[in-house]
């Protein structure tokens, strides 16, 4: 066995140690590629504009803040996707490392058996069959012995074949672990980049808000409330609620009960409870409480869960918002949602039409 094969056990140990050190580094987020994929947000190439409008136009400030927090939400989704992929990769690497260890132990056992067979042959003197027949006092004893020799030869061939298979398996496990390690390391950098962008966008928004006087902040909050009411009213004026009459499933009711219990808890990007949540952290945990595992991010929830028409939605379904699927909420009926809005806010009840709806998906289709 060459030096590469002898080092497999060391590789396994190194892989396990490396995974432990890295924790759960992330995988790069891949935007959906289908024709109906959500439209990705343009990547910011310049620093956010943090200056207040000369006229201190609070509506313009509100729009700037919406943009900053939206970009933070997109980066948060990328971070969450990276974290989930990293967990899977880490588990695969650990499993491969265990296979390498077990394979190395099996190979050592096979080598011991092969050595024992070689030593046994040496003790017989390695005489050809004709010589053993001539020296035998009883030909029948020789024939019995010859049968055992044939059995031994077949066993030896089987042993050699198993050694070969084990060596090939070890080499494949090693190659697979190496490939996974390469992905893990590359994706760790992608996750770090996403985190940096999230923090940058949130810091920019907070800095912009910090320039406002108390009265202006109160007026800004009122403007946001008015904008939400206007959007919700426009949505309701379409008569959509007259068409929506679906009843929640048992699992949907459980998901709603979980989400309702979280109202008032703070939004924290990347959080999935129990003390704080981001938007998809809330929806994924709500459905987990109902016994249904769904994707961690709003974009993956959009991609992987079954789509239903808005008029067919029922309480417990998830509403995906914005053209890039960067936000998600749990529909609770009567035109309302529960969601984790953005940094600085808490899990709350809101109108389902306060944001542009991209799609409705059903976790328990």
């Amino acid at each position: 066995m060459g030096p590469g094969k002898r080092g497999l056990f060391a590789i396994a140990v190194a892989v396990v140690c490396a995974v432990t050190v890295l924790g759960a580094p992330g995988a790069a987020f891949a935007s959906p590629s289908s024709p109906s994929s959500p439209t990705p947000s343009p990547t910011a190439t310049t620093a956010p504009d943090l200056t207040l409008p000369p006229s201190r136009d609070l509506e313009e400030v509100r729009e700037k803040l919406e943009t900053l927090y939206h970009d933070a939400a997109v980066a948060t989704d990328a971070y969450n996707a990276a974290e989930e992929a990293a967990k899977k990769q880490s588990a695969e690497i650990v499993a491969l490392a265990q296979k390498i260890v077990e394979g190395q132990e099996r190979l050592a056992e096979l080598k011991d058996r092969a050595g024992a067979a070689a030593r046994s042959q040496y003790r017989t003197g390695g005489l050809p069959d004709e010589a053993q027949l001539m020296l035998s006092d009883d030909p029948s004893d020789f024939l019995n012995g010859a049968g055992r020799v044939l059995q031994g030869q077949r066993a030896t061939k089987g042993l050699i074949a198993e050694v070969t298979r084990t060596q090939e398996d070890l080499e494949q496990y090693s190659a697979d672990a190496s490939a996974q390690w390469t992905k893990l390391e590359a994706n760790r950098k992608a996750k770090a980049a996403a985190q940096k962008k999230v923090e940058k966008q949130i810091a920019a928004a907070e800095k912009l808000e910090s320039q406002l006087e108390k009265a202006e902040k109160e007026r800004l909050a009122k403007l946001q409330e008015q904008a939400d009411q206007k959007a919700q009213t426009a949505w309701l004026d379409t008569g959509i609620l007259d068409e929506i009459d679906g009843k929640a499933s048992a699992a949907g009711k459980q998901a709603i009960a979980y989400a309702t219990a979280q109202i008032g808890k703070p939004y924290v990007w990347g959080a999935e409870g129990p003390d704080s949540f981001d938007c998809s952290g809330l929806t994924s945990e709500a459905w987990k409480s109902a016994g249904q595992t769904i994707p961690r991010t709003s974009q993956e929830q959009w991609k992987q869960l079954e789509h239903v028409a808005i008029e067919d939605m029922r309480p417990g379904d998830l509403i995906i918002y914005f053209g890039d699927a960067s936000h998600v909420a749990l529909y609770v009926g009567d035109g309302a949602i529960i969601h984790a809005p953005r940094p600085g806010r808490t899990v709350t009840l809101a109108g389902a039409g306060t944001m542009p709806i991209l799609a409705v998906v059903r976790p328990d289709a």
Side-chain angles (χ1 to χ4, degrees):
M1 184 172 62
K5 296 184 181 69
R6 287 197 298 269
L8 287 172
F9 184 82
I11 291 172
V13 174
V15 167
V16 174
C17 291
V19 171
T20 302
V21 171
L22 278 181
F29 172 75
S31 296
S33 57
S34 64
S36 57
S37 297
T39 305
S41 296
T43 302
T45 56
T46 57
D49 180 6
L50 305 182
T51 59
L52 288 172
S55 62
R56 297 180 86 79
D57 182 341
L58 292 183
E59 177 58 28
E60 188 174 340
V61 173
R62 188 186 71 80
E63 291 174 358
K64 279 188 176 184
L65 287 171
E66 277 195 349
T67 298
L68 290 170
Y69 282 123
H70 174 266
D71 290 346
V74 174
T76 297
D77 221 39
Y79 177 92
N80 291 336
E83 187 172 47
E84 288 301 294
K87 290 177 182 177
K88 181 179 179 180
Q89 288 171 338
S90 297
E92 289 176 353
I93 289 175
V94 170
L96 285 167
Q98 182 62 36
K99 287 182 178 180
I100 289 174
V101 172
E102 293 172 353
Q104 188 71 29
E105 292 172 348
R106 178 60 176 161
L107 191 59
E109 177 190 344
L110 293 172
K111 286 172 62 179
D112 287 343
R113 286 172 54 189
R119 288 191 296 272
S120 176
Q121 184 180 11
Y122 177 78
R123 285 195 297 271
T124 67
L127 293 176
D129 293 345
E130 297 84 352
Q132 291 188 42
L133 177 58
M134 291 175 63
L135 296 173
S136 176
D137 293 332
D138 187 343
S140 63
D141 289 341
F142 166 76
L143 293 175
N144 290 334
R148 288 193 295 273
V149 168
L150 289 173
Q151 292 176 355
Q153 289 175 342
R154 286 194 291 269
T156 300
K157 288 181 181 179
L159 181 61
I160 293 172
E162 188 170 357
V163 168
T164 301
R165 285 195 303 271
T166 302
Q167 289 175 330
E168 291 172 348
D169 287 345
L170 283 170
E171 290 170 356
Q172 186 60 55
Y173 296 152
S174 178
D176 291 346
S178 178
Q180 288 294 335
W181 169 257
T182 299
K183 289 181 183 179
L184 199 59
E185 178 60 19
N187 292 333
R188 180 188 66 81
K189 296 177 182 177
K191 177 180 171 182
Q195 177 176 348
K196 184 176 180 181
K197 183 174 181 180
V198 174
E199 293 170 344
K200 179 181 179 180
Q201 297 302 118
I202 292 175
E206 291 173 345
K207 184 173 181 179
L208 185 60
E209 288 180 299
S210 71
Q211 299 176 58
L212 298 173
E213 302 293 339
K214 180 179 179 182
E216 290 176 316
K217 290 180 180 179
E218 292 173 352
R219 175 60 181 157
L220 185 64
K222 188 66 175 177
L223 284 174
Q224 185 61 58
E225 182 181 340
Q226 291 172 351
D228 290 344
Q229 289 176 347
K230 182 179 179 181
Q232 176 72 356
T233 299
W235 185 67
L236 294 176
D237 284 348
T238 65
I240 188 66
L241 281 190
D242 294 335
E243 301 180 44
I244 300 174
D245 59 1
K247 304 299 181 183
S249 65
K253 291 178 181 178
Q254 178 59 42
I256 292 171
Y258 178 93
T260 302
Q262 313 314 312
I263 290 177
K265 293 184 178 180
Y267 176 105
V268 174
W269 71 270
E272 47 191 327
D275 300 321
S276 57
F277 298 86
D278 63 19
C279 67
S280 56
L282 177 65
T283 54
S284 60
E285 288 300 304
W287 272 98
K288 183 186 292 184
S289 76
Q292 188 81 21
T293 299
I294 64 174
R296 169 65 176 86
T297 71
S298 59
Q299 294 194 0
E300 287 303 308
Q301 289 170 6
W302 182 91
K303 285 174 62 178
Q304 296 185 36
L305 300 179
E306 181 174 322
H307 288 219
V308 297
I310 293 179
E311 60 269 21
D312 295 330
M313 73 177 174
R314 66 191 186 195
D317 287 345
L318 305 183
I319 302 181
I320 309 295
Y321 291 98
F322 302 108
D324 53 10
S326 58
H327 192 70
V328 61
L330 186 75
Y331 183 64
V332 296
D334 296 325
I337 57 172
I338 293 176
H339 70 143
R342 64 166 176 80
R345 304 264 179 95
T346 61
V347 175
T348 189
L349 190 70
T354 54
M355 297 167 284
I357 296 175
L358 175 64
V360 176
V361 296
R362 181 162 294 164
D364 61 339

